[in-house]
Amino acid sequence: MEIHVYDTYVEAKDGHTMHFDVITSQKDHDKAIQYAKEWLKTIGESESKVSTEECQFCHSQGAPEPIANEIQKKGYFIQKMEGCP
């Protein structure tokens, strides 16, 4: 499976920056932003701003099996980088 990585930096409620990648099987910027918002809701950060400024396409690559499995289940995978719970 080919995956597409969207590098994302979002300001949390308390002001710190959360850095994470939204990984999808479709190269679709609007979908990546939607998935980022969905995930932010699950961690209590639904008010965080996510737009093309915060979420930018980075690259495409082959998917490791655990990531491919997660994408097949829910459409996306979040790779937490910095400042994420």
Side-chain angles (χ1 to χ4, degrees):
M1 168 189 289
E2 183 176 46
I3 57 172
H4 310 285
V5 180
Y6 292 83
D7 199 28
T8 309
Y9 292 85
V10 174
E11 185 176 334
K13 287 185 274 192
D14 67 4
H16 83 278
T17 299
M18 294 184 291
H19 176 203
F20 57 93
D21 287 341
V22 178
I23 303 172
T24 71
S25 62
Q26 301 172 355
K27 191 174 180 184
D28 183 331
H29 208 145
D30 291 333
K31 277 284 199 194
I33 290 170
Q34 175 189 331
Y35 292 145
K37 289 179 178 179
E38 283 180 23
W39 179 73
L40 287 165
K41 283 181 189 175
T42 70
I43 61 166
E45 294 285 350
S46 60
E47 300 301 313
S48 296
K49 179 185 173 199
V50 184
S51 71
T52 55
E53 290 180 30
E54 291 80 23
C55 181
Q56 299 183 357
F57 176 74
C58 184
H59 66 278
S60 299
Q61 67 180 56
E65 188 174 337
I67 292 175
N69 291 342
E70 189 73 14
I71 290 171
Q72 288 174 348
K73 287 179 192 169
K74 65 180 185 183
Y76 67 96
F77 179 82
I78 300 295
Q79 178 65 55
K80 299 174 189 177
M81 309 290 263
E82 301 168 82
C84 298

